[in-house]
């Protein structure tokens, strides 16, 4: 591989950027000004001559015989902002980029397919990955060098960005054959990685034993003191927590089941008390930079909010702990207030950085942190009790060495320390501080609407409507789904994004997440249109993305000239992989519609090797695997979806249960003959509990149903 060390580079002839340009404000405007992505628009006034990921950029690289510099990030990425400020706004650096490369900007949230290919390359060649991602490609889009953030100058034994650019320009000029050969070799390695991994079968993959091994692996990395897994930085990992709860529901009496449950409960309590949780405005920040959940990385992502709602709700259904239900409501209230469009769909993210009041410059966490003096002045007589409850001290409450703020060092992130404090006083104080905070400059809001993340959030609101018996949450889920179905579907194809108009076509994760959201919305409301839509989405997902030879789902469509390799994601990271979501959907649909679940089993089987070797890398797939081994349970409801009986059924339903609403002559009744016989009893709504293809006598009393389901 080509490696870089700080060294003197040969002189290269460079012309000053924009010598003929008029001096106007802003000084520079490039072609990104015509894009809709907030991330691309953030770079529209860089002196770099950016292109979007389009054929015209690739053709220009071929015509001018220049390598491509590909920069991938997203609009709320802190280190993306840092690299922009240090390098992409620098005239000399921009001149190098413009003279010797074709610079291309990609919003990873709009083009996850492109991001996935080159992130796989960067991780494989450097041992790590992240954003901003910096990759150099041949004009045929083959990668030959990659990394993440580069400092502007050589420092700490790392080459500066300018050094890298000069060295690569020399390589392209003097050692072209070497570069092209390396690009071809790397591309072939990517194709092999994305290629066949078996026959889509798993004869040895026994669900319970595989899951048991994963629980034991998770326990090895569990932080018994603070909760969570591993050390700093510490991520919430909701897919892992959901799997552990699924295992507990499957094996509640076993030692491993009890251990799984306690790992989740301890983690959720610690997260809710910690600084990663926004105690004033609700919701969770992206991750904690320390193992204590004290100092967060302050950006807020929609997918985190969605998944954590579901996790807290499932925990609450198990033990009824008020904290868990309150935390789920807290997240949903934040999303409804700050992350919902006028049409009802959900925005993508809020930035970590914001203007420091009175200084007109940005700092990470400036919107969220407090000095003790500010709290004392705002709360008056309640300040002392509030400060004790939240551990507020004059010097700040972050552990030594973990404060990322720099110029904001020493200020307080709110951390709940005293569980016995007066809740009424705390609620009053939080409301006062929230009002004070609302007067500060807000972080940047990425207001694009992504189908996949909206699907996850629709699921969260629908599941909350069921578990918490709150119609307002069902209304929020329905409004978002109606926007997606009405504005983000073109000729039967789902779009990836919407911002001031339609974005690119959707990817596998968009179809899979939205199908799951539509199924949850059907169960929450009884409105058959959402189940019908879920069936349509799953069918289109199979048509466009299913690997019919090996099983599993490609993330990108076939035939996209801008994607050199169709990847199949084999890791459930911040978001579940498309194949994991699709497998779970397929099992649920098979149980809802008495269908064949062989494709779901084949999808799980396609990742048998991964699950056997590193089970905890795909916890969402493990959850689907457990579903495959559980006896099916259906609750068939005859009568009004708003009846007390139906409300009990929804509140008690677990993820392993499917709810069906019996309506004579309906689309569902036409597909399932037994639905026609599920009728009211003496004019009363009735519930039919069917397990392992056998139905019990109907239940008409809500409390009797509650007892039966418990």
């Amino acid at each position: 591989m080509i490696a870089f060390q700080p060294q003197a580079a040969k002189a290269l002839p460079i012309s000053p950027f924009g010598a003929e340009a008029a001096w106007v404000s802003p000084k520079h405007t490039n072609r990104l000004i015509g894009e809709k992505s907030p991330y691309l628009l953030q770079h529209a006034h860089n002196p770099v001559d950016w292109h979007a990921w389009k054929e015209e950029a690739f053709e220009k690289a071929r015509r001018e015989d220049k390598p491509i510099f590909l920069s991938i990030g997203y609009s709320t990425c802190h280190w993306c902002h840092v690299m922009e400020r240090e390098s992409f706004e620098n005239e000399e650096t921009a001149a190098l980029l413009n003279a010797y490369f074709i610079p291309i900007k990609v919003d990873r949230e709009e083009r996850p397919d492109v991001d996935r290919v080159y992130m796989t390359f960067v991780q494989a060649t450097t041992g790590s990955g992240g954003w901003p991602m910096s990759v150099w490609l041949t004009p045929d889009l083959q990668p030959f060098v990659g990394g993440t953030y580069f400092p502007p100058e050589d420092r700490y034994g790392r080459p500066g960005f300018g050094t890298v650019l000069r060295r690569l320009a020399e390589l392209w000029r003097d050692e072209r054959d070497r570069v092209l050969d390396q690009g071809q070799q790397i591309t072939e390695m990517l194709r092999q990685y994305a290629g066949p991994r078996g026959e889509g079968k798993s004869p040895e993959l026994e669900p319970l034993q595989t899951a048991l091994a994963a629980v034991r692996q998770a326990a090895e990395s569990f932080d018994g003191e603070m909760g969570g897994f591993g050390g700093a930085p510490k991520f919430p990992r909701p897919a892992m927590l959901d799997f552990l709860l699924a295992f507990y529901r499957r094996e509640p009496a076993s030692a491993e089941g009890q251990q799984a449950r306690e790992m989740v409960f301890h983690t959720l309590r610690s997260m809710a008390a910690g600084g990663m949780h926004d105690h004033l405005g609700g919701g969770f920040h992206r991750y904690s930079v320390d193992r204590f959940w004290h100092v967060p990385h302050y950006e807020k992502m929609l997918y985190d909010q969605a998944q954590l709602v579901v996790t807290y709700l499932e925990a609450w259904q198990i033990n009824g702990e008020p904290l868990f239900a309150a935390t789920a409501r807290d997240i949903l209230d934040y999303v409804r207030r700050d992350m919902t469009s006028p049409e009802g769909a959900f925005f993508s993210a809020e930035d970590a950085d914001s203007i420091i009041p009175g200084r007109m410059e940005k700092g990470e966490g400036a919107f969220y942190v407090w000095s003790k003096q500010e709290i004392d002045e705002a709360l008056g007589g309640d300040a002392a009790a509030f400060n004790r409850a939240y551990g507020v001290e004059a010097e700040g409450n972050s552990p030594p060495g973990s404060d990322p703020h720099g110029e904001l060092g020493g200020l307080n992130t709110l951390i709940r320390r005293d569980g016995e404090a007066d809740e009424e006083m705390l609620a009053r104080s939080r409301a006062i501080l929230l009002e004070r905070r609302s007067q500060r400059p807000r972080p940047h809001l990425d207001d694009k609407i992504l189908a996949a993340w909206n699907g996850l959030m629709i699921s969260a609101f629908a599941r909350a409507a069921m578990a918490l018996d709150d119609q307002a949450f069902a209304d929020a889920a329905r409004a978002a789904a109606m926007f997606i179905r009405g504005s983000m579907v073109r000729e039967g194809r789902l779009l990836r994004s919407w911002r001031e108009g339609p974005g690119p076509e959707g990817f596998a994760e968009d179809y899979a997440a939205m199908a799951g959201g539509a199924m949850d919305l059907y169960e929450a409301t009884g409105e058959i249109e959402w189940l019908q839509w879920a069936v349509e989405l799953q069918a289109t997902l199979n048509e466009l993305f299913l690997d019919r030879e090996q099983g599993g789902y490609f993330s990108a469509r076939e035939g996209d000239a801008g994607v050199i390799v169709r990847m199949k994601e084999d890791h459930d990271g911040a978001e579940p992989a498309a194949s994991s979501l699709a497998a779970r959907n397929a099992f649920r649909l098979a149980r809802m519609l008495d269908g064949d679940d062989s494709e779901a089993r084949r999808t799980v089987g396609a990742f048998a090797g991964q699950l056997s070797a590193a089970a905890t890398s795909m916890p969402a797939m493990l959850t689907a695997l457990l579903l495959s081994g559980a006896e099916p349970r259906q609750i068939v409801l005859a009568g009004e979806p708003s009846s007390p009986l139906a409300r009990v059924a929804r509140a008690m339903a677990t993820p392993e249960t499917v709810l069906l609403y019996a309506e004579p002559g309906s689309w569902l009744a036409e597909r399932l003959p037994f639905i026609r016989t599920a009728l009211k009893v003496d004019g009363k709504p009735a519930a039919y509990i069917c397990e392992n293809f056998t139905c019990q006598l109907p239940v008409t009393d809500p409390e009797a149903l509650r007892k039966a389901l418990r």
Side-chain angles (χ1 to χ4, degrees), residues 476-494:
R478 184 188 298 106
M482 290 179 68
F483 176 84
I484 302 296
R485 191 178 62 177
S487 298
M488 293 180 62
V489 176
R490 293 288 187 273
E491 299 179 354
R493 300 293 177 87
L494 187 63

Side-chain angles (χ1 to χ4, degrees), residues 289-290 295-296 298 364 369 395-413:
V289 302
D290 58 81
V295 180
Y298 286 91
E364 184 182 358
V369 295
E395 69 274 15
N397 58 10
S398 303
S402 65
D403 188 350
H405 305 135
E407 66 274 14
L408 299 178
L411 298 185
N412 291 277
T413 297

Side-chain angles (χ1 to χ4, degrees), residues 65 177 271 291 374 426-427 459 488 499 593 603 633 659:
D65 193 27
D177 290 345
M271 284 173 50
R291 62 173 284 256
E374 287 176 311
L426 292 182
S459 284
M488 293 180 62
R499 186 178 185 274
L593 304 175
T603 297
R633 173 191 261 189
L659 292 180

